[in-house]
Amino acid sequence: MNVIGRSRKFISKLFSRKTRSIQSKSCYQFSARYFSIGPREPHSRNRNASVNRVNQEMGVFTGKDNHTLSCCDKCTEECEDQFRFFCEGCKYLKDPSILDSVDHFELFDIKEDYDIDIEKLDETFYQLQQMFHPDRFTMTGDEDLMENSTTYSSFINNSYKLLKDDLERAKYILKKKGYKALEEGDQISDIEYLQQIMEIREEIESSETQEELNVLKADTLLKKQTIVEKVSSLFKAEAYEEIIETLVQLRYTIRILEAIDKREREFI
Amino acid sequence: MFAGKLILSRFGAPTAKRAVGLGKLFTAKRFAFSPLVLNGVMRRSYHENVIDHYEKPRNVGSLDAKSKDVGTGLVGAPACGDVMKLQIQVNKDDNKIEKAVFKTFGCGSAIASSSYATEILHGMHLDDAMNIKNKDISEHLKLPPVKLHCSMLAEDAIKAAVKDYRKKADLAD
């Protein structure tokens, strides 16, 4: 319950009105200049009243009153908080290019650490998806808005996948610390380890029964668990060079698990 | 971004507008270079040489690694978790490769690269084998830039196998 409460609080932060007095004013002035007083710009989209009404009823964040999308271009420059994806003034989705600078951990409001709060990650993920899912924007009939929400939504998906993946998460943290792991063109000098991998892969390939695979799978899952725990403790000790070495084993172990799953499907 | 757009069609109601939007996507110029669209998933098609080697890999197998006239090259690509074993059987008298076999667990390009490598190694002199460059393999298979490292892996495997054989031969002398 606590977790949920905290996440909700965080979500509301995304749309916080802290700076609204300044932001919305500039937004309004900007749009008013273009749409209320001056002649209409060719790129303006004045939605008709019925669409606006539907949007309001659906609770869709989109144009409000005389506000139109172009005012967001202005807001993007002025908004200090890069995580506010909606324009303060008109509640319109900002240009997705701001996602380039988004940190995955901050997006889900979790501590940047290898051991993550999975429960909170899931909870925040569902809440974010509820807000940015393209289905929410279908009713607006605004193609730009639908496309932007798709970009946001898939970014959230990828971000969630990355954080959930034991290997990718480690790689991401290392990258932020300036280390490179599992680069293309890297080589392994440990021939013995490669031989072990080769043997296991051959064993999977030649397995005939589900029981054989089950034994292999249980073994490999245990191995993976051990490696993940090792990586976690190495992160605590900040032994980054060692982590990079350990990640190679994690990569091969994950591949073995995938091979087992593939072989299992062949039995069916 | 494009993938996202395509996935869109799987969610939500398939409105007429979206159908039109998708139609536009597929005919757009940037998609004109031979992609296959299967089940709404984009697939860049590989060159037929890769597919041929992947579906009918040549010379899959193992040789006795302990034998004196066999050289074994075992290499791995940690980035993608591939492992490749390439073995050569060499004629002692003229230093030519009599037989080359491979076993690769990895992506299609890695399998095709090692399969093609064993094919060209047959009857080749050891010195010539050492001069095989990854470019020779990638050009034949027309590998895309992201898969060039697979042909590099095959090159490394050939070199490792030749070195292994020479080491054994030196010890025997």
Side-chain angles (χ1 to χ4, degrees):
Chain A
M1 196 55 212
N2 213 356
V3 172
I4 297 169
R6 264 193 293 142
S7 309
R8 290 235 168 94
K9 208 171 153 197
F10 166 68
I11 297 292
S12 67
K13 225 168 68 184
L14 286 178
F15 319 102
S16 76
R17 297 181 168 220
K18 247 185 274 167
T19 48
R20 191 176 165 103
S21 54
I22 314 154
Q23 297 280 336
S24 62
K25 217 174 175 183
S26 66
C27 258
Y28 183 76
Q29 281 169 352
F30 184 80
S31 62
R33 192 145 47 90
Y34 278 93
F35 307 109
S36 302
I37 305 160
R40 190 173 293 157
E41 290 288 297
H43 61 271
S44 73
R45 277 157 219 224
N46 203 6
R47 289 175 206 86
N48 60 39
S50 68
V51 171
N52 263 338
R53 188 177 48 76
V54 170
N55 288 343
Q56 274 162 19
E57 279 168 13
M58 295 281 295
V60 173
F61 298 92
T62 176
K64 203 173 110 189
D65 305 332
N66 279 334
H67 285 83
T68 42
L69 74 157
S70 52
C71 73
C72 299
D73 298 335
K74 178 95 174 157
C75 292
T76 312
E77 286 170 28
E78 291 185 356
C79 285
E80 281 170 26
D81 187 351
Q82 55 177 324
F83 294 109
R84 225 170 280 129
F85 297 140
F86 288 97
C87 170
E88 281 289 338
C90 60
K91 298 290 177 219
Y92 198 89
L93 270 183
K94 281 186 199 173
D95 192 88
S97 60
I98 58 164
L99 288 172
D100 294 345
S101 55
V102 167
D103 179 277
H104 299 299
F105 286 102
E106 277 184 63
L107 176 67
F108 289 97
D109 193 29
I110 48 176
K111 204 174 141 240
E112 186 185 318
D113 191 9
Y114 187 68
D115 300 321
I116 49 164
D117 184 348
I118 299 268
E119 236 176 86
K120 186 174 180 195
L121 178 70
D122 286 345
E123 181 66 30
T124 319
F125 172 69
Y126 293 130
Q127 293 195 5
L128 284 173
Q129 248 349 337
Q130 267 177 19
M131 301 203 157
F132 292 97
H133 198 281
D135 280 2
R136 289 204 72 191
F137 298 89
T138 325
M139 293 298 283
T140 62
D142 184 329
E143 289 207 3
D144 281 350
L145 195 56
M146 275 149 69
E147 197 180 311
N148 284 355
S149 76
T150 313
T151 313
Y152 276 102
S153 184
S154 65
F155 181 87
I156 294 162
N157 272 337
N158 290 338
S159 190
Y160 174 69
K161 258 189 240 160
L162 183 140
L163 289 183
K164 268 222 149 172
D165 191 305
D166 294 325
L167 179 67
E168 294 300 323
R169 188 170 66 250
K171 275 170 79 178
Y172 179 64
I173 300 172
L174 283 177
K175 198 178 148 199
K176 283 184 71 179
K177 305 244 183 229
Y179 291 89
K180 284 175 179 169
L182 303 181
E183 287 273 286
E184 244 176 50
D186 281 4
Q187 287 179 339
I188 302 182
S189 47
D190 190 350
I191 300 293
E192 257 174 56
Y193 183 70
L194 280 179
Q195 260 159 1
Q196 279 176 29
I197 299 296
M198 202 79 194
E199 274 163 29
I200 299 171
R201 295 295 295 259
E202 277 171 352
E203 212 176 315
I204 295 166
E205 204 185 44
S206 60
S207 63
E208 298 287 336
T209 59
Q210 184 68 45
E211 284 71 37
E212 281 177 64
L213 279 184
N214 287 346
V215 175
L216 273 171
K217 196 171 186 176
D219 270 2
T220 320
L221 280 173
L222 206 68
K223 252 186 226 165
K224 191 191 165 193
Q225 187 60 33
T226 320
I227 296 170
V228 169
E229 275 163 20
K230 191 181 169 191
V231 172
S232 165
S233 63
L234 285 172
F235 264 113
K236 284 198 184 78
E238 301 190 0
Y240 300 119
E241 297 294 341
E242 265 184 81
I243 295 170
I244 294 171
E245 282 168 32
T246 319
L247 286 186
V248 174
Q249 292 174 21
L250 187 56
R251 159 58 80 215
Y252 276 103
T253 314
I254 291 170
R255 281 279 180 267
I256 289 169
L257 284 173
E258 284 170 6
I260 293 173
D261 284 345
K262 199 181 160 206
R263 186 73 189 157
E264 268 178 352
R265 282 198 297 275
E266 282 167 9
F267 286 152
I268 301 165
Chain B
M1 248 195 90
F2 306 134
K5 266 186 194 172
L6 293 174
I7 289 163
L8 181 95
S9 64
R10 284 200 236 137
F11 296 116
T15 59
K17 216 167 210 172
R18 270 187 191 165
V20 171
L22 281 175
K24 256 193 233 161
L25 256 182
F26 293 152
T27 50
K29 239 184 191 169
R30 56 184 162 220
F31 290 102
F33 50 88
S34 73
L36 296 174
V37 180
L38 297 170
N39 307 326
V41 180
M42 287 279 308
R43 288 196 191 166
R44 177 89 50 89
S45 59
Y46 277 103
H47 191 265
E48 54 183 284
N49 287 347
V50 178
I51 295 165
D52 183 40
H53 274 281
Y54 177 69
E55 287 178 345
K56 289 174 281 181
R58 280 46 146 199
N59 314 310
V60 178
S62 287
L63 298 169
D64 178 16
K66 282 173 192 147
S67 169
K68 254 188 274 171
D69 54 354
V70 170
T72 305
L74 187 61
V75 290
C80 31
D82 289 359
V83 52
M84 182 184 284
K85 186 173 79 174
L86 196 142
Q87 292 181 301
I88 49 170
Q89 189 177 317
V90 185
N91 188 327
K92 232 192 288 177
D93 303 323
D94 56 3
N95 271 345
K96 276 188 178 167
I97 295 165
E98 287 175 330
K99 205 174 174 188
V101 294
F102 83 97
K103 196 148 213 187
T104 297
F105 294 103
C107 66
S109 300
I111 292 171
S113 294
S114 40
S115 170
Y116 177 65
T118 57
E119 212 174 39
I120 52 175
L121 279 175
H122 273 268
M124 201 179 249
H125 193 276
L126 284 182
D127 293 339
D128 297 331
M130 279 304 264
N131 284 330
I132 293 176
K133 291 273 168 289
N134 76 299
K135 222 175 132 193
D136 303 326
I137 298 164
S138 61
E139 273 179 5
H140 174 81
L141 296 172
K142 306 270 188 303
L143 292 179
V146 289
K147 289 290 179 186
L148 283 183
H149 65 275
C150 294
S151 58
M152 242 119 85
L153 198 63
E155 183 194 321
D156 292 342
I158 296 171
K159 293 210 158 83
V162 174
K163 274 180 196 158
D164 183 54
Y165 169 77
R166 285 190 166 155
K167 210 169 118 192
K168 274 184 190 167
D170 285 349
L171 281 176
D173 285 343

